[in-house]
């Protein structure tokens, strides 16, 4: 089967699986425009795990089974009160300005 190169999106991350004594994340590929969700339970142990995964996918830490072609940018989850959410909800632009390193983010990523 031949796939036209124009249709294939650029590969960003290729993972052959991440395995430790406590967890396993199966192999996956992340291409431009796609979304991968890794659901973690709550609790202090999982905060450490989340930080490790963010470091791997952001290209800050090397992991043998993960090839990071284009590092991801991590921005913390939105935390705002219910009252603020009703009267002055957070916009995407304000969120990114507050929580992400905008020097590393190209606006082209958000136009497609």
């Amino acid at each position: 089967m031949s796939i036209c190169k124009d249709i294939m999106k650029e590969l960003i991350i290729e993972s052959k699986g991440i395995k430790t004594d406590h967890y396993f994340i199966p192999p996956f590929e992340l291409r431009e425009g796609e979304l991968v969700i890794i659901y973690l339970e709550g609790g202090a142990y999982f905060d450490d795990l989340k930080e490790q995964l963010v470091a791997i996918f952001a290209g800050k830490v090397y992991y043998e089974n993960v090839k990071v072609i284009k590092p991801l940018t991590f921005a913390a989850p939105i935390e705002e009160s219910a009252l603020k959410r009703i009267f002055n909800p957070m916009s995407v632009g304000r969120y990114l300005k507050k929580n992400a390193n905008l020097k590393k983010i190209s606006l082209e990523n958000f136009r497609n």
Side-chain angles (χ1 to χ4, degrees), residues 12 20 22 40-42 46 49 59-60 64 82 99:
I12 296 173
T20 69
H22 304 287
L40 301 174
E41 297 288 334
F46 293 102
L49 173 59
K60 295 177 182 176
E64 63 184 340
N99 294 299

Side-chain angles (χ1 to χ4, degrees), residues 63-77:
Y63 188 81
E64 63 184 340
N65 289 343
V66 178
K67 182 178 178 184
V68 178
I69 293 120
K70 192 173 182 183
L72 301 179
T73 300
F74 176 78

Side-chain angles (χ1 to χ4, degrees), residues 42-49:
Y45 170 77
F46 293 102
D47 289 341
D48 185 46
L49 173 59

Side-chain angles (χ1 to χ4, degrees), residues 7-61:
I7 296 173
M8 291 293 293
K9 299 286 185 171
E10 180 183 355
L11 184 64
I12 296 173
I13 292 179
E14 179 181 25
S15 172
K16 292 184 169 62
I18 300 173
K19 184 177 181 180
T20 69
D21 295 337
H22 304 287
Y23 65 92
F24 173 71
I25 297 173
F28 68 90
E29 287 184 349
L30 177 64
R31 297 189 177 275
E32 190 175 322
E34 294 180 340
L35 175 69
V36 172
I37 297 174
I38 300 173
Y39 179 76
L40 301 174
E41 297 288 334
Y45 170 77
F46 293 102
D47 289 341
D48 185 46
L49 173 59
K50 180 178 81 174
E51 288 178 23
Q52 291 173 8
L53 291 174
V54 167
I56 292 169
F57 298 136
K60 295 177 182 176
V61 172

Side-chain angles (χ1 to χ4, degrees), residues 92-105:
V92 172
R94 193 166 21 146
Y95 170 78
L96 289 174
K97 189 174 184 180
K98 180 179 176 184
N99 294 299
N101 185 351
L102 293 179
K103 292 177 185 175
K104 290 185 177 183
I105 296 176

